[in-house]
Amino acid sequence: MLPYKLIYFNMRGRAELSRYILAYAQIPFKDQRVEWKDWPFVKSSFPLEQLPVLEMEGCLLNQSLAIARFLAKEAGLAGKDRLEEAQADALVDSLNDFTLCIPWREEDQKLKKEKIDKLFDCHAPKLLSFLEKHLEDRDWLVGDAVTWADLYWHVCFTTFTVLRPGFARHHQGLCTLINRVESIPQLARWIQNRPVSEF
Amino acid sequence: MLPYKLIYFNMRGRAELSRYILAYAQIPFKDQRVEWKDWPFVKSSFPLEQLPVLEMEGCLLNQSLAIARFLAKEAGLAGKDRLEEAQADALVDSLNDFTLCIPWREEDQKLKKEKIDKLFDCHAPKLLSFLEKHLEDRDWLVGDAVTWADLYWHVCFTTFTVLRPGFARHHQGLCTLINRVESIPQLARWIQNRPVSEF
Ligand SMILES: [Mg+2]
Ligand SMILES: [Mg+2]
């Protein structure tokens, strides 16, 4: 039996960061994907009726970032000391705040587009400057080695690019970082072979 | 000079959890409070123009929960192993998700009340059941000792009670936990002596 079962929907969404970390560390895991049509019948068995959930040793861990941080520590991707861990946490939360502003559930398509435009026109520049300032002229966002913050930047970049192609093109350092993450062989393989979904 | 300066507005808000942790560990810190009237003139000097920020050894750490987690590790409040750390993280994020649903910025007072009523009528019961299930008949939310998750429950309980007095009164275990947190002498002193604010 595999040590970890990661349960989520059939999309990248809030589970993809954990999948990157598991792929990076070459930890075999069951990538269980719940179909939307089944969700109403199974949701009451999950904490707070939410996914993703990580199942391990008979225990269920909820909350996407708690799961990812736990796996990042296992994978040696959390930062090399407490200060680096905190810096990675802060970068992850700052990226996450932006994803939480995306109006995923807005049903009025015209209004949805307006909100997304405003987000990328007014808020993305601030986030990108913050990230670039952190990166300076170094290879990775935190310290001198890859952390889960770099992987989350790639996850977010991929999704933000669907919403606003080229959104980061004027930020050379951050684009180079995308290439650097994609050049990690285990991640390149994961990205190439994962199930295809828009988000 | 004090090792930590915690910069926030003159309210409990998103800094209070870190203040609890510092008070618990009896770590002296500068509790710097920015007045609203000054904020427009100073905000550009902070990461992402947001507070709270923790200043230490000339470095600025942003994001309230990254700050609190860093301090929780310093204080021995983060959990005693990786699994406990992850469980505390998940509880903190679940509480935080609820606070993020509070319509703080809704200017229409009637609509604001409706949204708050809906939140407490429909969503709070789910959160309370989740927390109580975690607690079972133990003294603390994670493992057998106090963690920052227990402190955050107290912080959130205090603010949720302003919005909906008695919201948790049918959850005996969670109410007992509130008393248990308040009985920690350093926290009792902090709560008694802190600046008074509604939120
Ligand atoms: Mg979450
Ligand atoms: Mg935050």
Side-chain angles (χ1 to χ4, degrees), chain A residues 3-185:
Chain A
Y4 296 118
K5 178 157 81 177
L6 184 63
I7 310 168
Y8 190 58
F9 304 105
N10 188 20
M11 58 191 296
R12 300 190 307 280
R14 302 201 62 79
E16 193 64 13
L17 174 56
S18 287
R19 297 187 189 120
Y20 272 44
I21 295 167
L22 288 158
Y24 173 89
Q26 299 181 277
I27 299 172
F29 69 105
K30 185 159 164 51
D31 183 22
Q32 184 166 319
R33 291 167 186 246
V34 177
E35 297 296 332
W36 285 112
K37 66 172 173 46
D38 299 328
W39 178 237
F41 307 103
V42 299
K43 70 178 182 180
S44 67
S45 55
F46 296 106
L48 291 167
E49 306 193 350
Q50 289 172 350
L51 295 179
V53 158
L54 182 70
E55 199 182 303
M56 52 174 165
E57 301 164 28
C59 117
L60 290 183
L61 182 64
N62 70 321
Q63 283 291 347
S64 57
L65 296 183
I67 294 168
R69 189 178 298 103
F70 172 82
L71 294 171
K73 289 174 191 168
E74 300 285 308
L77 285 171
K80 73 171 189 311
D81 55 32
R82 277 186 194 164
L83 185 58
E84 282 197 9
E85 285 182 356
Q87 287 171 335
D89 283 348
L91 287 160
V92 166
D93 278 353
S94 297
L95 281 163
N96 196 53
D97 280 353
F98 190 88
T99 71
L100 293 177
C101 292
I102 297 169
W104 296 112
R105 291 172 188 196
E106 178 58 63
E107 289 178 6
D108 179 332
Q109 293 307 309
K110 186 162 166 284
L111 191 56
K112 186 170 185 170
K113 187 180 173 327
E114 282 171 18
K115 286 182 179 177
I116 290 173
D117 281 348
K118 190 178 165 205
L119 190 59
F120 280 93
D121 291 337
C122 303
H123 296 283
K126 221 185 276 188
L127 177 66
L128 291 167
S129 301
F130 167 73
L131 294 173
E132 197 149 79
K133 203 174 152 196
H134 244 279
L135 186 59
E136 296 175 337
D137 54 354
R138 293 172 302 109
D139 281 355
W140 307 102
L141 284 166
V142 178
D144 54 11
V146 59
T147 66
W148 68 309
D150 301 298
L151 272 49
Y152 198 37
W153 166 234
H154 191 282
V155 168
C156 291
F157 177 93
T158 305
T159 288
F160 298 171
T161 296
V162 177
L163 298 170
R164 172 66 70 91
F167 80 100
R169 68 172 176 276
H170 298 307
H171 293 264
Q172 191 50 58
L174 295 173
C175 292
T176 304
L177 178 56
I178 288 298
N179 296 330
R180 191 168 283 124
V181 172
E182 285 174 0
S183 304
I184 298 171

